[in-house]
Amino acid sequence: MKKIKMTVSGRVQGVGFRYMTKMVADQIGIAGIVRNEDDGSVYIEAVGPTDKIDAFIAAVKRSPSPSGKVEAYDIHEDANIENYISFRVTN
């Protein structure tokens, strides 16, 4: 299992980004959370097999929302992320 935390910025709030990210996570089979941050970015924690995490990261970089645009991202593996059982929008 691979556990990552990811922050994306750009046009990622107010464009359905979190809900489309959840749809992608559900389709791929990733568990975790996605939430808006006060600075305008979106924070994601994701847990799953390495190949699925890699596919999820690629989809998020392309922006799952058609009207969104990811301009920057930061990704780190973090073994301390909890073992989520589903993917949910937290705010």
Side-chain angles (χ1 to χ4, degrees):
M1 290 294 256
K2 190 171 186 179
K3 298 179 175 185
I4 59 129
K5 55 185 175 183
M6 181 176 190
T7 303
V8 293
S9 57
R11 194 169 58 241
V12 295
Q13 288 193 14
V15 293
F17 192 92
R18 291 174 299 153
Y19 295 96
M20 296 299 286
T21 298
K22 179 186 175 358
M23 283 179 53
V24 168
D26 290 346
Q27 289 169 351
I28 294 173
I30 295 298
I33 60 163
V34 59
R35 70 174 181 243
N36 282 342
E37 295 293 328
D38 291 339
D39 65 0
S41 67
V42 170
Y43 175 77
I44 300 165
E45 290 183 356
V47 178
T50 299
D51 60 332
K52 290 186 177 189
I53 289 289
D54 292 345
F56 176 73
I57 289 170
V60 170
K61 286 179 182 177
R62 289 190 304 268
S63 180
S65 170
S67 53
K69 181 174 183 352
V70 174
E71 294 174 358
Y73 54 87
D74 187 40
I75 305 167
H76 298 287
E77 284 194 52
D78 186 345
N80 295 320
I81 292 172
E82 72 176 85
N83 290 315
Y84 295 102
I85 56 170
S86 64
F87 198 93
R88 66 187 195 277
V89 177
T90 62
N91 70 349

